[in-house]
Amino acid sequence: MKKNSILSFLMPFLLIQCSISQSDICNCKTEVEFLHKKIKKTPSYKANKAQYKKAYEASLKKAELLSSDYQCFVLLNKLLISLNDNHSKIYGIDKGATAAIKTNDKDLETFKKSKLYNTYPVVSIDIDSLQTALSKKSPDDIEGVYSIESMTIGVYRHSTSADYQAVIMSTDSDIWRRGELIYTLIPFGKRDYLLSIGGSTNSKRLIAYTERIKDGTFLTMGFQKQETSINHSRAPYADTTYFREELSDDITYLKIGSFSGMYPKLSDAEDFYASLKDNLKKEHLIIDIRDNGGGGNRNSDILLKIIKDYLKDNNVYIITNHRTISNAEMFAYKLKDNKNSVLFGHRTNGCAAYEVKNSNYNLPCGKFLTVLTSKKHPKFLDLESVGLDPDWVLNMDTDWVEQVVSYIENQ
């Protein structure tokens, strides 16, 4: 009886002590230190050790001053830039307002009380004045007003750094609010790359991805300064992964939307490739790998063998864009130098030198997930944060397939 009394007396203090300990552990510095231990095992760390060490030391000092989850999320992803490894990213564990949540009023209201919903900073700038100033920016300037569907954002340079911020100016979204910071955009690499760190427009989940802004268009997310214009850099037939069309008596068109090595997508690819074997009879073949997020050689090598046989007596025209990523970049690279192949479109994503293989970790505070690489492809190191340049750059105001067909007809 006496023991129980003592335990009952001590329990509140034990709980308080436990809570304090967790608070001490769960800070941004702890997240950085944990991430550091995992990064040291990656091939990209070994290739960029000096650059990474400098970035890590600076990040550790900054982390001690941060209390915001959003700021910590930005810091963690900025640290990864020093690895020059665009497969490695940090994401939020909370998936946010999924489709199921958004279709249930009660669940949506619960989400609006969640920590993630309120994670994004609200800027102190007058939004109307900012919109007026940004509306005057030229189409070639990164700063400006951009729209997509039911959301308009303003992109402006951060007052104390080279980074850009994207704030919501207007939206019909159930989960985003006017004045919230949706992205922090960080310039990196040798070309015009931006690391976009922020939230999913659909769910508000914390995400990070490689972005480029060209001709007033976000090439990954699709935001545009002139929302009435059609973004012809994106792949057609959005609902179809593998597609064939005969464009003329001497031109065949193929859309290859994925090189996934996982079933059932792989079986779809195998069936499609089987239909091509010994069945490509025309002189000209257009292979469209826009928006192809990659996959593996298990898929792409099947097509590569067919195309290399075809190239002995015929011509191939490959279309790429910024969303041509990873194994899809490798595929284009392997065909680019053939005398009978020509590359069209935009520069590829620049994410081909490393591979993710079972190296995902939850950071200790349970907020963030890190995706790190564990395999290096030395042959493609020159593509990382650079991308593969096309032989012919296509303009965004007319259909890309039509532009390639015109090129063929004029040769």
Side-chain angles (χ1 to χ4, degrees), residues 14 50 113 122-123 128 205 208-209 241 243 250 254 257 274 315 349 382 399:
L14 291 172
K113 297 173 185 175
V122 176
V123 302
D128 292 331
R205 182 183 184 180
Y209 57 89
T241 305
F243 178 78
D250 58 356
L254 303 179
N315 303 302
N349 190 271
D382 289 344
D399 185 274

Side-chain angles (χ1 to χ4, degrees), residues 337-392:
D337 291 333
N338 187 289
K339 65 178 183 178
N340 292 333
S341 68
V342 187
L343 192 64
F344 290 84
H346 282 168
R347 179 162 28 105
T348 61
N349 190 271
C351 182
Y354 299 96
E355 184 177 339
V356 177
K357 297 196 80 161
N358 302 320
S359 50
N360 298 354
Y361 308 95
N362 287 350
L363 297 191
C365 296
K367 302 170 185 175
F368 308 127
L369 164 73
T370 175
V371 177
L372 298 176
T373 56
S374 55
K375 185 176 180 179
K376 182 169 72 173
H377 298 282
K379 182 178 179 181
F380 304 105
L381 279 171
D382 289 344
L383 295 182
E384 202 69 15
S385 302
V386 176
L388 183 63
D389 282 309
D391 300 305
W392 290 84

Side-chain angles (χ1 to χ4, degrees), residues 59-241:
S59 297
L60 205 57
K61 290 179 182 178
K62 290 179 182 177
E64 293 178 344
L65 306 174
L66 300 182
S67 57
S68 155
D69 286 349
Y70 181 85
Q71 290 176 328
C72 186
F73 181 68
V74 171
L75 180 71
L76 292 167
N77 274 294
K78 285 182 78 168
L79 175 59
L80 293 178
I81 291 176
S82 62
L83 295 173
N84 190 35
D85 171 3
N86 290 319
H87 271 102
S88 291
K89 295 286 186 295
I90 309 291
Y91 302 94
I93 290 177
D94 189 335
K95 293 182 179 179
T98 61
I101 287 175
K102 288 196 288 188
T103 54
N104 184 301
D105 291 342
K106 186 177 179 180
D107 290 343
L108 183 58
E109 288 306 310
T110 300
F111 172 72
K112 288 182 178 181
K113 297 173 185 175
S114 70
K115 192 166 186 179
L116 175 60
Y117 178 79
N118 294 291
T119 287
Y120 298 87
V122 176
V123 302
S124 56
I125 302 172
D126 181 87
I127 299 299
D128 292 331
S129 298
L130 179 64
Q131 184 159 2
T132 299
L134 292 178
S135 296
K136 299 174 183 177
K137 297 291 181 178
S138 72
D140 296 331
D141 198 326
I142 289 178
E143 291 188 304
V145 178
Y146 299 80
S147 298
I148 186 173
E149 296 174 354
S150 59
M151 182 181 289
T152 298
I153 62 172
V155 176
Y156 59 97
R157 189 181 287 276
H158 193 283
S159 58
T160 60
S161 72
D163 302 344
Y164 294 87
Q165 294 182 319
V167 61
I168 297 175
M169 294 182 158
S170 65
T171 180
D172 293 334
S173 169
D174 289 335
I175 57 174
W176 287 101
R177 295 166 290 181
R178 175 179 161 93
E180 282 187 307
L181 191 67
I182 187 170
Y183 303 126
T184 298
L185 300 162
I186 303 166
F188 76 98
K190 298 176 182 177
R191 308 290 284 272
D192 52 349
Y193 285 99
L194 298 165
L195 180 62
S196 181
I197 306 169
S200 162
T201 55
N202 293 324
S203 67
K204 221 169 185 179
R205 182 183 184 180
L206 288 162
I207 58 173
Y209 57 89
T210 302
E211 184 63 271
R212 285 175 59 220
I213 298 176
K214 183 177 175 63
D215 298 336
T217 299
F218 279 60
L219 296 183
T220 296
M221 291 303 295
F223 282 96
Q224 292 180 283
K225 284 189 175 180
Q226 297 179 358
E227 58 182 313
T228 56
S229 61
I230 298 174
N231 181 4
H232 287 286
S233 73
R234 297 296 297 273
Y237 313 109
D239 298 328
T240 306
T241 305

